[in-house]
């Protein structure tokens, strides 16, 4: 990857990291995503599983659903998905169903990542879509945000949004 | 499985098949799902990918989201998911995230099934949840519905709901 390409991807990953920081401030595990179409950001999402109490409300799903609504189609051609953490099995499956051509992610998720860590779903030629994948874009920033969140959670400095809501 | 257990599962799968038939009548690939909690049906869903133009609007996702809303929690303990077709990677991932203890499905999906056909995601001990899985419940009825749909689609007797919508 040339320096120019890397800067391009870093720029959009910075926007995905902004989404992750919104999640952090809401007491959610900080993961963010954006979708780019012909060079424009058309949707964004951040993890809302705690505040919505919806197990499927991952950043990628939010961004994919918004992009489908925006473009008026369930097939997201000519798009790139930027996400701060390696997608899980659910999100990798959603990426394949939406036919997203290119996925760029930050940090690896060694416990449940389904792109390189546990599975390589986006490269499975038995499925009817495969993606170009670029990893390790601003991975340290993404990992630092996650580490900070879990450290704060353990120390009681921040509370998960579901715990906050229970007290209202 | 005893005859009594089989009848129990067949009863609930009949309700999932009713959901699949609603999808069929809407011009959607006929797949249906329901979720049972302590013996009661608490949610249902059918494939709406064409009418909503949302790639993630699978029957299982609809049923899981409704069940989370109904129970007010993202963890669907003490539930069983009945679905007419073997779940794909996205839906298998969503089932794991929702911690659904038992999944009962009808027909196998040899092209994209992620429970037995291409992957065995619901039995992966590296992930933080595994399911009890029962397959082949009213599989012939489910497969017959799918075959009828695709035959009618090819012959032009029915149209996908997205094609219908384009003409309005």
């Amino acid at each position: 990857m040339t320096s120019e390409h890397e800067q391009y991807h870093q720029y959009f990953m910075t926007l995905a990291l902004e989404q992750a920081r919104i999640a952090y401030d809401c007491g959610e595990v900080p993961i963010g995503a954006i979708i780019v179409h012909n060079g424009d950001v058309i949707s964004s999402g951040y993890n809302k599983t705690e505040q919505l109490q919806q197990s499927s409300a991952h950043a990628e799903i939010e961004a994919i659903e918004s992009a489908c609504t925006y473009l008026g189609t369930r097939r997201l051609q000519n798009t790139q998905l930027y996400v701060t953490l390696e997608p899980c099995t659910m999100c990798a499956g959603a990426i394949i169903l939406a036919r997203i051509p290119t996925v760029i992610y930050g940090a690896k998720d060694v416990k449940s990542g389904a792109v390189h860590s546990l599975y390589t779903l986006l490269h499975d030629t038995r499925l009817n879509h495969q993606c170009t994948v670029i990893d390790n874009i601003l991975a340290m920033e993404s990992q630092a945000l996650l580490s900070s969140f879990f450290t704060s959670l353990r120390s009681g400095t921040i509370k998960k949004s579901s715990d906050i809501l229970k007290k209202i």
Side-chain angles (χ1 to χ4, degrees), chain A:
Chain A
M1 190 158 52
T2 65
S3 172
E4 194 182 336
H5 271 112
E6 196 159 341
Q7 279 180 13
Y8 180 89
H9 292 315
Q10 285 177 354
Y11 168 72
F12 286 116
M13 190 61 81
T14 303
L15 303 182
L17 278 165
E18 281 178 15
Q19 292 294 312
R21 282 191 198 97
I22 298 173
Y24 189 117
D25 292 340
C26 294
E28 299 275 356
V29 177
I31 302 165
I34 63 155
I35 292 179
V36 175
H37 177 254
N38 294 335
D40 294 322
V41 178
I42 59 165
S43 74
S44 62
Y46 60 89
N47 177 33
K48 296 187 183 80
T49 51
E50 292 286 337
Q51 57 189 296
L52 298 181
Q53 283 299 299
Q54 286 287 351
S55 49
S56 61
H58 280 195
E60 300 94 314
I61 301 289
E62 300 273 314
I64 289 170
E65 289 183 352
S66 295
C68 287
T69 301
Y70 180 83
L71 294 176
T73 173
R74 66 184 174 86
R75 298 206 171 174
L76 301 178
Q77 296 173 325
N78 303 316
T79 62
Q80 295 88 45
L81 171 73
Y82 289 80
V83 56
T84 56
L85 187 68
E86 181 184 358
C88 70
T89 52
M90 175 183 73
C91 293
I95 288 164
I96 294 164
L97 290 166
R99 308 281 198 276
I100 295 174
T102 309
V103 173
I104 302 99
Y105 74 84
K108 280 210 163 44
D109 182 353
V110 293
K111 287 189 180 172
S112 55
V115 178
H116 288 120
S117 296
L118 300 189
Y119 293 96
T120 55
L121 293 183
L122 302 187
H123 297 118
D124 186 341
T125 53
R126 298 171 303 173
L127 299 170
N128 52 13
H129 178 74
Q130 293 82 46
C131 306
T132 300
V133 177
I134 299 164
D135 65 338
N136 201 29
I137 299 293
L138 301 184
M140 284 178 64
E141 287 80 349
S142 170
Q143 192 56 61
L145 199 60
L146 286 160
S147 299
S148 166
F149 178 80
F150 287 112
T151 301
S152 301
L153 200 66
R154 277 191 292 269
S155 70
T157 317
I158 58 169
K159 291 192 180 297
K160 279 194 176 179
S161 61
S162 58
D163 296 329
I164 297 165
L165 288 170
K166 277 176 196 161
K167 294 190 177 175
I168 294 173

